[in-house]
């Protein structure tokens, strides 16, 4: 594969020479790009000698006038190591003052960032907020190791080992295309069930998990259909977005677009009850008390489960207690292959949060806990396990 190696200006820059060597050994083509600060620590010649290619440094060199665009288009992955606090800030905010940061904006493939800096700089809320932005964008952050730092302090901030960074690169390269040829249908967000023309019943789902799943699947090469309830999120890139309001509308759109084979991920928090006959006019405050009779909505997941065919079905369960027990019950009763069990009710993970912490319950009986991480990372981990499960199920059925 063709890898762009961005080198930032930190003492760890010398270690990225080792990373370049390792990537070359793995038979990748490596194109080094250095910031001005990086060149204070190590020379472009070092990378040129290791990679057999001229190191790119100057945005304003005559031949570089449009080179950053073509260089971006010709490569499969961008890794930045070391990613300094300053560079992370520039990337998070879209500043494009030199070759590397301009290249980053022109690059549409996977991005791996390996930060290295002083422990206080690493822990600073500004750095952490910038990293959060980059993670949410789908970039992979290889966390620094802990230990003695060049500044004399001890703690997190040390560039991850070249082997660890190379392993993350290998995984991101696989994720680039491993859903090619697949159709993935994702549902997301809450539904709104009208009580009259101005009122409705809904729930706290933000849609963030479902949108992260749609985004991840599209980035991995799938054709993605996203059926979404009302949310305040931008449409993900390269995804067909179908907006719905009620559970019934969601059911109808999902059934119309259900792929024959493929992956169906039901992340939506569908309302369980609705008013079958919605009054035409606003309900007036005349009575001291109003009671309404609600009917059950169609259970979309259970309906797909009943006619599953060759589809791989992933359900979600939002629970406030008995997570695993309830999750297993829903996995069985709705005939899912995987169920993402999600503890909600707390403030740090779940519904409105950007982070999540879930347990994947598989039809094979396995349970896989996923530690707290941004929803976009959880989404990629879910698809990693979906693909493994599919291989296991195919082997089991000899299909
Ligand atoms: N679901 C669905 N249609 C419904 C209700 C739920 O497709 N009418 C799906 C959700 O998208 C989710 C899964 O079923 O993937 C579980 O949703 P959840 O609300 O946790 O479960 P319920 O079946 O509603 O069970 P309960 O209310 O007893 O927790």
């Amino acid at each position: 594969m063709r890898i762009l190696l961005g080198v930032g200006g930190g003492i760890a820059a010398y270690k990225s020479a080792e990373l370049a060597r390792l990537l070359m050994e793995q038979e990748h083509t490596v194109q080094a790009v250095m910031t001005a600060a990086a060149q204070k620590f190590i020379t472009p010649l070092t990378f040129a000698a290791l990679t057999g290619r001229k190191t790119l440094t100057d945005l304003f060199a005559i031949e570089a006038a449009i080179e950053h665009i073509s260089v971006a288009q010709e490569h499969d992955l961008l890794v930045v190591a070391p990613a300094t606090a300053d560079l992370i800030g520039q990337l998070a905010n879209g500043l494009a003052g030199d070759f590397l940061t301009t290249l980053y904006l022109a690059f549409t493939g996977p991005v791996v960032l390996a930060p290295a800096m002083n422990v206080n700089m690493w822990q600073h809320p500004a750095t952490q907020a910038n990293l959060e932005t980059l993670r949410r964008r789908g970039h992979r952050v290889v966390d620094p190791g802990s230990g003695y730092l060049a500044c004399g302090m001890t703690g997190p901030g040390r560039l991850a080992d070249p082997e660890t960074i190379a392993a993350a690169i290998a995984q991101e390269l696989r994720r680039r295309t491993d859903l090619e040829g697949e159709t993935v249908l994702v549902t997301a967000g809450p539904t709104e069930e009208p009580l009259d023309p101005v009122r409705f019943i809904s729930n706290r789902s933000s849609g963030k998990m479902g949108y992260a799943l749609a985004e991840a699947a599209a980035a991995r090469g799938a054709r993605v259909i996203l059926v979404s309830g009302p949310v305040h999120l931008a449409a993900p890139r390269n995804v067909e977005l179908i907006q719905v309001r009620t559970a019934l509308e969601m059911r109808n759109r999902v059934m119309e677009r259900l792929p024959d084979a493929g992956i169906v991920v039901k992340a939506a928090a569908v309302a369980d009850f609705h008013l079958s006959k919605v009054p035409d006019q606003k309900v007036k405050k005349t009575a001291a008390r109003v009671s309404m009779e609600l009917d059950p909505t169609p259970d979309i997941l259970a309906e797909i489960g009943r006619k599953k065919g060759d589809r791989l079905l992933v359900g979600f369960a939002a629970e406030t207690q008995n997570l695993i027990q309830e999750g297993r019950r829903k996995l069985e009763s709705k005939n899912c292959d995987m169920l993402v069990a999600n503890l909600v009710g707390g403030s740090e993970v779940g519904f409105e949060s950007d982070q999540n912490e879930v347990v994947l319950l598989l039809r094979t009986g396995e349970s896989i806990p996923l530690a707290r991480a941004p929803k976009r990372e959880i989404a990629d981990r879910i698809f990693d396990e979906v693909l493994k499960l599919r291989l296991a199920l195919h082997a089991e059925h000899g299909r």
Side-chain angles (χ1 to χ4, degrees):
M1 292 284 170
R2 294 153 304 176
I3 297 178
L4 286 163
L5 170 60
V7 187
I11 184 64
Y14 76 94
K15 288 197 202 164
S16 67
E18 179 61 21
L19 177 62
R21 194 193 55 75
L22 193 61
L23 294 172
M24 291 295 291
E25 232 171 65
Q26 295 174 351
E27 303 196 347
H28 295 297
T29 302
V30 179
Q31 172 65 66
V33 185
M34 298 179 77
T35 65
Q39 295 168 62
K40 306 265 185 208
F41 291 91
I42 184 168
T43 69
L45 187 61
T46 307
F47 289 97
L50 285 167
T51 64
R53 287 163 170 260
K54 181 175 164 247
T55 302
L56 299 170
T57 53
D58 187 0
L59 185 61
F60 301 107
I62 297 294
E63 75 276 17
I66 51 160
E67 206 178 20
H68 58 278
I69 307 292
S70 55
V71 170
Q73 280 162 355
E74 284 159 8
H75 287 82
D76 301 304
L77 179 141
L78 167 65
V79 53
V80 182
T84 59
D86 175 56
L87 203 42
I88 286 168
Q90 292 185 57
L91 300 181
N93 292 289
L95 304 179
D98 70 356
F99 201 105
L100 179 55
T101 49
T102 310
L103 176 66
Y104 164 77
L105 286 185
F107 188 67
T108 54
V111 177
V112 175
L113 303 162
M117 64 197 73
N118 159 273
V119 54
N120 291 341
M121 293 172 78
W122 168 251
Q123 286 168 345
H124 197 283
T127 306
Q128 289 303 318
N130 287 331
L131 282 166
E132 185 65 28
T133 301
L134 293 165
R135 284 196 182 101
R136 240 185 289 132
R137 221 170 267 168
H139 301 342
R140 172 75 169 264
V141 178
V142 185
D143 282 340
S146 254
Y148 176 78
L149 304 175
C151 54
M153 294 174 75
T154 303
R158 197 158 69 177
L159 185 72
D161 293 335
E163 289 75 15
T164 310
I165 303 171
I169 291 171
Q171 189 177 44
E172 290 307 315
L173 284 172
R174 275 197 302 278
R175 284 176 173 172
R176 223 175 114 251
T177 52
D178 58 3
L179 286 174
E180 260 175 18
E182 290 281 357
T183 302
V184 177
L185 187 146
V186 181
T187 68
T191 62
E192 283 178 7
E193 308 304 328
L195 297 176
D196 69 15
V198 295
R199 303 182 179 93
F200 58 83
I201 316 176
S202 191
N203 60 61
R204 286 178 52 203
S205 168
S206 62
K208 287 178 183 170
M209 191 64 239
Y211 275 57
L213 284 155
E215 214 175 276
R220 294 167 77 148
R223 179 170 93 91
V224 182
I225 303 163
L226 173 62
V227 182
S228 172
V231 295
H232 304 282
L233 298 172
R237 259 205 300 199
N238 301 326
V239 164
E240 183 188 348
L241 175 65
I242 301 175
Q243 288 167 312
V244 298
R245 185 170 179 219
T246 65
L248 199 59
E249 271 173 54
M250 183 173 277
R251 185 246 161 230
N252 292 342
R253 294 291 91 71
V254 166
M255 292 305 164
E256 273 166 28
R257 302 304 306 274
L258 201 60
D260 286 337
I263 302 166
V264 179
V265 187
K266 288 242 49 240
V270 187
D272 288 327
F273 295 96
H274 69 163
L275 202 59
S276 305
K277 274 201 176 333
V278 181
D280 291 342
Q281 303 302 327
K282 188 180 165 196
V283 176
K284 286 290 181 188
K285 195 177 60 184
T286 43
R289 197 163 202 173
V290 173
S291 66
M292 286 178 180
E293 231 165 73
L294 301 175
D295 295 309
T297 55
D299 191 319
I300 311 167
L301 184 58
E303 187 176 343
I304 304 170
R306 282 194 293 275
K307 50 171 188 180
K308 195 156 72 177
D310 285 334
R311 300 175 192 100
L312 195 139
L313 191 52
V314 181
F316 270 68
E319 305 296 340
T320 52
Q321 57 181 349
N322 304 330
L323 181 68
I324 304 298
Q325 201 182 327
E326 277 301 288
R328 283 261 164 230
R329 181 181 66 78
K330 288 177 190 177
L331 177 83
E332 300 288 329
S333 68
K334 302 194 189 202
N335 195 20
C336 298
D337 298 296
M338 178 190 285
L339 193 121
V340 183
N342 197 178
L343 205 56
V344 293
S347 57
E348 290 188 350
V349 295
F351 274 158
E352 283 130 8
S353 163
D354 287 328
Q355 306 241 328
N356 215 350
E357 186 182 328
V358 301
V359 183
L360 308 184
L361 306 173
L362 310 190
R363 207 172 98 188
T364 52
E366 226 183 312
S367 305
I368 305 168
L370 301 186
R372 181 182 307 182
K375 286 183 171 169
R376 185 58 170 71
E377 258 176 61
I378 297 278
D380 268 321
R381 293 282 287 114
I382 291 173
F383 284 117
D384 290 345
E385 295 304 330
V386 161
L387 288 169
K388 276 194 228 161
L389 178 64
R390 165 117 98 203
L391 280 180
L393 294 175
H394 276 203
E396 191 185 302
H397 300 296
R399 287 195 268 146

